[in-house]
Amino acid sequence: MAELKNFPTGPLGIAVIGCGRISGAHLAAVAALPAQVRLVAAVDADLSAAQAAAKPAGAPAFASLDEALALPEVEAVLVATPNALHAEQCLAALRAGRHVLVEKPVAETGEQAAALAREAEARGLVLAAGHTFRHNAAVRHIMDNQESFGRLRTLEVSSCVKWDGPQAPWWAERKPEEGLILSLFAPHALDFVQLVMGQDDPVRVHVEAARHQSGWQGEDEAMILMAYPGRRMASVHISYNQPSVLDRKVLHFDKGVLEIEHGEILSWNGDVLVAPPEGVLIDPRAMGGRKLEHYFRDQLREFVAAVRGEVHRCPTGHDAARLIGLIDRVKASARANSAADAIDPPLDVVPG
Ligand SMILES: NC(=O)c1ccc[n+]([C@@H]2O[C@H](COP(=O)([O-])OP(=O)(O)OC[C@H]3O[C@@H](n4cnc5c(N)ncnc54)[C@H](O)[C@@H]3O)[C@@H](O)[C@H]2O)c1
């Protein structure tokens, strides 16, 4: 990004758009960082949801983004609406001269995400992707000490949870070609892969995907295999069908093995390097058994740093868009390899 503008000096005035399921985590993060950020508007197509979100901060509530963008105190917009709305709402906010933090995925297609990155760059604004799970001590330690581990050869990510059907109505409406888990959950795992692989994109991507549940149309389980320059490889297994939650990252370096267990415990050849504070891992193999507040708080702090032109850890602009380009390739490979007999037909006609 050439020149950033609109450096705010006091707390950044932020409008949250989309006051649904995940907005509570963002609103709690805003409330936890009064020196850095303040809620100046809440927006939801359902005005009562916006009102409930705005009330504790005494902020105004609106049913449309345009109304919030009319307020000069809105310096940044946090987009937490359904995926299909991200591109148009981010574009509207950027064109109105506002910085944007958008929930993953930045957009539905790489082309849309690249257009947003160009818009932000041209206007000297921050477009940051909400890849929440890069914001923790274990990941920070890896990134800050990467050279001490030697050369990275391979990386395995397993991110398996259990959702009993759609967690929001729009999950059920997504068409198989739009992607379900590949659009909703893969961004977290792939963000980690891209983070440790640096500026390289994979030279080859191979994906198998399947659907095991009938409450949605898209794939709910996938295996992604990627070859990176320098003979490096990465595999990602994501699932919405695993009741015993598995969140494990294994990085094979020349000098040994780094592992992150439950998103929080980092070990090097079995020796623990980073452990979370007491109370974060309550019952990590159970759904909801981990505290996640700190991820959203640290992400917001990093976003404010980005807006202020300071060093930060948010994926922004073209870097953020690069991931959506990769997801395009992942979805295309899944469609080419596995859709015909694994995703599309009703479950009752799928043998086995
Ligand atoms: N970072 C994470 O770990 C994480 C976790 C869950 C969800 N998400 C992402 O957050 C986003 C929202 O997911 P959710 O589960 O909260 O969904 P949700 O459906 O619970 O919430 C979305 C909200 O947007 C509102 N909305 C719909 N159309 C709107 C419009 N045109 N203008 C304003 N508001 C509108 C809805 O009324 C709803 O309240 C998604 O992009 C999802 O991928 C991220």
Side-chain angles (χ1 to χ4, degrees), residues 74-341:
V74 174
E75 296 168 293
V77 174
L78 194 163
V79 178
T81 49
N83 295 9
L85 299 174
H86 291 182
E88 67 176 77
Q89 291 173 337
C90 289
L91 194 60
L94 292 169
R95 285 186 173 159
R98 287 3 190 260
H99 302 283
V100 171
L101 170 60
V102 53
E103 263 298 353
K104 53 77 198 166
V106 170
E108 291 276 33
T109 68
E111 202 177 319
Q112 291 171 340
L116 293 175
R118 285 194 299 274
E119 191 74 31
E121 186 172 45
R123 293 175 182 274
L125 294 166
V126 172
L127 168 74
H131 292 301
T132 323
F133 293 96
R134 64 160 58 196
H135 298 289
N136 86 342
V139 176
R140 282 197 290 269
H141 186 97
I142 294 177
M143 298 316 294
D144 292 347
N145 297 280
Q146 232 175 349
E147 283 171 14
S148 66
F149 305 120
R151 181 181 163 274
L152 178 67
R153 220 172 44 252
T154 50
L155 160 59
E156 306 155 53
V157 178
S158 297
S159 203
C160 301
V161 299
K162 173 74 177 180
W163 290 124
D164 263 325
Q167 299 303 296
W170 52 275
W171 286 30
E173 289 154 19
R174 291 183 69 81
K175 301 280 174 278
E177 58 274 20
E178 294 167 334
L180 183 73
I181 200 168
L182 291 177
S183 178
L184 280 158
F185 207 37
H188 289 307
L190 292 175
D191 178 59
F192 180 74
V193 174
Q194 292 285 84
L195 189 62
V196 296
M197 290 298 184
Q199 284 306 304
D200 291 324
D201 286 318
V203 288
R204 275 183 303 285
V205 174
H206 183 97
V207 183
E208 294 285 342
R211 179 169 63 90
H212 292 269
Q213 298 192 43
S214 56
W216 42 50
Q217 306 166 56
E219 75 296 327
D220 51 32
E221 183 116 9
M223 310 273 304
I224 304 168
L225 187 60
M226 294 174 289
Y228 279 82
R231 303 182 183 185
R232 291 171 297 159
M233 292 180 279
S235 72
V236 172
H237 175 201
I238 44 174
S239 174
Y240 281 161
N241 303 303
Q242 180 50 259
S244 179
V245 171
L246 184 66
D247 181 355
R248 179 175 295 152
K249 300 177 180 74
V250 184
L251 295 85
H252 301 256
F253 289 88
D254 279 351
K255 296 183 186 172
V257 179
L258 260 185
E259 292 168 80
I260 308 181
E261 192 72 8
H262 309 313
E264 296 280 354
I265 305 168
L266 178 69
S267 59
W268 172 242
N269 297 333
D271 296 333
V272 174
L273 297 178
V274 176
E278 194 80 16
V280 167
L281 298 180
I282 304 151
D283 183 5
R285 300 301 295 255
M287 290 299 285
R290 280 165 54 185
K291 294 261 186 217
L292 302 176
E293 288 86 348
H294 54 301
Y295 290 88
F296 290 88
R297 194 186 55 231
D298 289 354
Q299 172 175 275
L300 191 57
R301 194 185 277 124
E302 298 288 340
F303 173 64
V304 173
V307 169
R308 288 184 173 150
E310 297 164 6
V311 176
H312 66 90
R313 295 174 192 262
C314 284
T316 54
H318 295 284
D319 261 346
R322 211 158 59 84
L323 184 83
I324 309 302
L326 173 56
I327 290 174
D328 281 352
R329 294 171 66 190
V330 164
K331 285 191 213 167
S333 177
R335 297 299 297 164
N337 291 320
S338 47
D341 63 356

Side-chain angles (χ1 to χ4, degrees), residues 39 71 81 129:
L39 187 75
L71 299 181
T81 49

